[in-house]
Amino acid sequence: MTGRKFFVGGNWKMNGDKKSIEELANTLNNAKLNPDNEVVCGAPSIYLDYARSKLNPNIDVAAQTCYKVAKGAFTGEISPAMIKDCGVKWVILGHSERRHVFGESDELIGQKVAHALENGLGVIACIGEKLDEREAGITEKVVFAQTKFIADNVKDWSKVVLAYEPVWAIGTGKTASPQQAQEVHDKLRQWMKANVSEAVANSVRIIYGGSVTGATCKELASQKDVDGFLVGGASLKPEFIDIINAKA
């Protein structure tokens, strides 16, 4: 036993409407979910309040991004203070789509992590290499560099979940093999031990994301350093329940 509570996040991305969110909430609310596992649904910002009102209290809600200051002239952005005001406790930061579609830098993601944590949000911090980086053999170099920008901005690791998401496996149907996932998670834990502390390395949850489905989740969940999942498309479907319950 690791003592690390299994954590399953659903990232809805830019999907859903009130009707489908209500249907999904009803499905999750009525499902038999393993009470030992932590479950968080990442809703689009415009539906944070709505998702929070529809989901049972045992299911948390996350914003999919936020900005690095509390308020001001930042058109289109939302702050941790606003997220908390909606009863939402988590935020996803550094997702590969924020990095590669919207051009967010490691430095900006680090600043966002610091601000979110200072304001009492839990952070699901995402890292991961692109296909050309894996093929060039620099996976570790890339994910360690990304992790350092996050780690330099964390004081309390109990509020942080690290999500390893190989970019080549997101939405492509390609999943990292359980062995590939375990290898990177193990290396990340070793990096944490060397660069943060042994206690944090042992307690921090490192979850896997990248085409996680009902079919792939059980074997991934059995790996000793895989502490849960960040689920994309499958989190909008009833199979999300199977993924939540992958670790019995």
Side-chain angles (χ1 to χ4, degrees):
M1 274 300 291
T2 65
R4 297 188 294 266
K5 188 171 187 170
F6 199 72
F7 184 103
V8 180
N11 178 10
W12 298 352
K13 307 191 180 182
M14 197 174 73
N15 293 294
D17 51 30
K18 285 189 174 178
K19 183 172 177 284
S20 66
I21 290 169
E22 184 169 29
E23 285 167 4
L24 182 60
N26 287 338
T27 302
L28 292 174
N29 291 343
N30 292 313
K32 269 187 123 73
L33 304 181
N34 184 335
D36 296 331
N37 297 349
E38 195 165 355
V39 182
V40 178
C41 290
S45 60
I46 199 164
Y47 295 129
L48 287 172
D49 216 355
Y50 187 75
R52 179 61 286 163
S53 71
K54 293 294 177 187
L55 287 161
N56 282 353
N58 63 318
I59 301 169
D60 277 325
V61 177
Q64 297 175 11
T65 185
C66 67
Y67 199 49
K68 62 180 180 178
V69 294
K71 60 182 181 180
F74 302 102
T75 301
E77 292 290 335
I78 60 171
S79 70
M82 295 170 179
I83 292 165
K84 282 178 70 180
D85 195 35
C86 291
V88 171
K89 297 178 186 168
W90 288 89
V91 62
I92 302 169
L93 290 172
H95 192 278
S96 66
E97 287 148 20
R98 299 304 313 172
R99 294 173 184 270
H100 302 305
V101 181
F102 298 101
E104 292 190 10
S105 66
D106 282 329
E107 185 180 21
L108 175 60
I109 291 158
Q111 292 166 341
K112 289 180 173 200
V113 167
H115 182 68
L117 291 170
E118 282 161 13
N119 285 270
L121 283 180
V123 171
I124 301 165
C126 304
I127 54 179
E129 81 284 6
K130 296 188 294 208
L131 184 60
D132 59 338
E133 293 165 338
R134 176 163 279 268
E135 288 174 344
I138 57 170
T139 294
E140 283 172 42
K141 184 180 165 199
V142 170
V143 297
F144 291 169
Q146 292 171 339
T147 306
K148 182 170 176 14
F149 273 94
I150 292 161
D152 287 348
N153 287 285
V154 176
K155 294 188 179 79
D156 177 7
W157 280 94
S158 70
K159 303 277 286 188
V160 179
V161 172
L162 268 184
Y164 168 60
E165 294 202 297
V167 181
W168 49 271
I170 297 173
T172 58
K174 289 181 185 171
T175 313
S177 70
Q179 294 71 32
Q180 283 174 315
Q182 168 57 27
E183 184 185 2
V184 177
H185 284 227
D186 175 52
K187 294 266 170 55
L188 279 166
R189 224 175 276 291
Q190 290 176 28
W191 186 93
M192 298 291 288
K193 189 173 168 181
N195 294 277
V196 183
S197 74
E198 186 165 8
V200 168
N202 290 334
S203 64
V204 72
R205 290 172 294 181
I206 306 176
I207 64 176
Y208 170 78
S211 298
V212 177
T213 64
T216 58
C217 63
K218 275 246 186 334
E219 199 186 347
L220 281 160
S222 70
Q223 304 299 310
K224 80 176 176 68
D225 289 297
V226 175
D227 302 314
F229 302 114
L230 187 56
V231 185
S235 69
L236 297 159
K237 302 171 189 165
E239 75 181 286
F240 188 47
I241 294 157
D242 300 326
I243 298 169
I244 294 167
N245 293 332
K247 193 144 191 144

